[in-house]
Amino acid sequence: MQSNIGLIIEEKAADIGNFMVGRLLPFRQKRTVGPFLFIDHMGPACLAEHQNLDVPPHPHIGLSTLTYLFDGAIMHRDSMGNAVEIKPGEVNWMTAGKGVVHSERTPEYLRRKDKFLHGLQIWIGLPKHLEQTEPSFFHINKEDIPTWKEADIKYKLIAGEIKNLKSPVPVHSPLYFIEIKTSTSQTIDIGNKLYGEVAMYVLEGEVLIEGNTYGTKQLIVAKNANLCAFETVGETTLYLFGGEPFEEKRHMFWNFVHSDRAILEKAKDNWKNQNLDAFPKIPNDDKEFVPLPEYKLKNKK
């Protein structure tokens, strides 16, 4: 039988300011999985009373961001005026569209205490006709996210749609982001519910695929979503994500994503020059910002 594993990506360290993360996407051999462009695994980290997450105001265009925490809390503020704390099991969904600025920090009440932080930060591309849309923000409570159980397998549809189930996260293209938990070894065959491209990230435990065992810090990309079948080895938590890829290539520079390279270059100039019409200040977090990286966008076709 031909293998359905297309690629195995090893998590690699990356610095997002004053906090180290494990980067899963993009990867030089696989830039996207469906509309998913970028995935960072934050933590697990124990932060002492003098350590805090502080990602100052920074811009985005042409994408949606999804933040999902396993532990800890993050205070989100943006240039639309939203100020929302996200806690474990909740979803922050921000669509940048033509341009938005946001910051992510440890909430004030935790800044002088020991605390934990663990979660995923994800970028999802926008369809071409929505890349220049007005920015928007939604916070979804954990009790509003669809969950169900089959035998000893617990499912949660964090975002997107599969079969007759749909998450309240207002996504903009066909996709899915699914949490699967088992407390005992289980055989899972979910391929008839999936579509497009699909990848798996094992947060805890191990999975057995085609006679080989895979564990944490690995992203497994399938060749065919419809053939997605595997076994969990005891207590395991994993995530399946993917969906329909876009026809057009997405160019990425720093925090900017777009199908039009000229618009991407314009965003660089607007942020470098602090054009407040393009990138307004964040209320109550306007004293600093992350500067534009000093390197040029590569002219790749």
Side-chain angles (χ1 to χ4, degrees), residues 54-224:
D54 279 304
V55 182
H58 57 282
H60 289 289
I61 67 165
L63 54 80
S64 293
T65 62
L66 187 157
T67 303
Y68 185 75
L69 296 183
F70 314 126
D71 201 351
I74 295 176
M75 189 66 191
H76 162 98
R77 288 187 173 87
D78 62 47
S79 52
M80 295 173 280
N82 298 295
V84 178
E85 179 182 345
I86 181 172
K87 295 180 179 180
E90 302 173 345
V91 173
N92 272 4
W93 176 264
M94 182 181 72
T95 295
K98 66 180 184 181
V100 75
V101 183
H102 76 135
S103 63
E104 297 154 294
R105 301 183 186 273
T106 298
E108 189 62 34
Y109 68 93
L110 291 175
R111 296 186 71 86
R112 286 165 290 280
K113 299 178 180 179
D114 293 347
K115 78 284 290 181
F116 290 94
L117 186 59
H118 192 198
L120 293 173
Q121 289 213 311
I122 298 170
W123 295 0
I124 298 170
L126 291 172
K128 187 173 182 178
H129 70 283
L130 293 177
E131 287 181 301
Q132 293 298 104
T133 192
E134 293 292 328
S136 60
F137 176 84
F138 293 88
H139 176 86
I140 295 87
N141 294 321
K142 62 181 181 180
E143 58 267 23
D144 295 327
I145 297 173
T147 60
W148 69 100
K149 188 174 181 179
E150 297 175 6
D152 194 29
I153 308 167
K154 295 179 180 178
Y155 295 90
K156 181 183 294 185
L157 183 58
I158 298 169
E161 188 171 0
I162 55 171
K163 292 294 185 180
N164 61 338
L165 294 169
K166 186 175 183 179
S167 166
V169 176
V171 302
H172 302 288
S173 67
L175 63 87
Y176 44 84
F177 177 35
I178 308 165
E179 178 184 86
I180 300 176
K181 289 189 174 188
T182 64
S183 57
T184 58
S185 297
Q186 296 289 322
T187 298
I188 298 172
D189 188 350
I190 197 173
N192 65 337
K193 295 182 173 68
L194 307 182
Y195 49 89
E197 298 179 334
V198 62
M200 174 192 294
Y201 177 65
V202 181
L203 178 70
E204 298 172 339
E206 294 178 330
V207 296
L208 188 65
I209 304 174
E210 299 167 0
N212 297 310
T213 301
Y214 302 95
T216 60
K217 298 186 181 299
Q218 292 179 318
L219 185 69
I220 304 160
V221 183
K223 292 179 182 177
N224 187 336

Side-chain angles (χ1 to χ4, degrees), residues 17-38:
N18 69 336
F19 192 77
M20 295 299 294
V21 298
R23 186 145 299 163
L24 295 161
L25 277 181
F27 187 71
R28 64 182 181 275
Q29 293 171 273
K30 185 64 177 174
R31 307 302 296 179
T32 62
V33 175
F36 288 75
L37 307 169
F38 178 103

Side-chain angles (χ1 to χ4, degrees), residues 216-256:
T216 60
K217 298 186 181 299
Q218 292 179 318
L219 185 69
I220 304 160
V221 183
K223 292 179 182 177
N224 187 336
N226 294 327
L227 298 179
C228 190
F230 54 91
E231 296 176 42
T232 62
V233 182
E235 191 168 345
T236 300
T237 300
L238 62 92
Y239 294 85
L240 293 177
F241 64 91
E244 299 295 347
F246 298 124
E247 293 182 4
E248 317 86 6
K249 179 181 178 180
R250 292 299 182 271
H251 306 289
M252 295 180 64
F253 171 83
W254 190 41
N255 299 320
F256 302 142

Side-chain angles (χ1 to χ4, degrees), residues 224-296:
N224 187 336
N226 294 327
L227 298 179
C228 190
F230 54 91
E231 296 176 42
T232 62
V233 182
E235 191 168 345
T236 300
T237 300
L238 62 92
Y239 294 85
L240 293 177
F241 64 91
E244 299 295 347
F246 298 124
E247 293 182 4
E248 317 86 6
K249 179 181 178 180
R250 292 299 182 271
H251 306 289
M252 295 180 64
F253 171 83
W254 190 41
N255 299 320
F256 302 142
V257 174
H258 213 282
S259 61
D260 188 332
R261 199 180 288 274
I263 291 177
L264 214 159
E265 289 289 345
K266 182 63 176 176
K268 289 169 60 178
D269 290 339
N270 285 335
W271 184 251
K272 185 175 182 178
N273 297 320
Q274 286 294 284
N275 182 337
L276 299 185
D277 290 329
F279 294 117
K281 293 288 187 179
I282 299 175
N284 300 313
D285 196 350
D286 59 357
K287 305 303 181 186
E288 59 178 333
F289 62 89
V290 180
L292 186 80
E294 290 299 326
Y295 58 89
K296 295 181 179 179

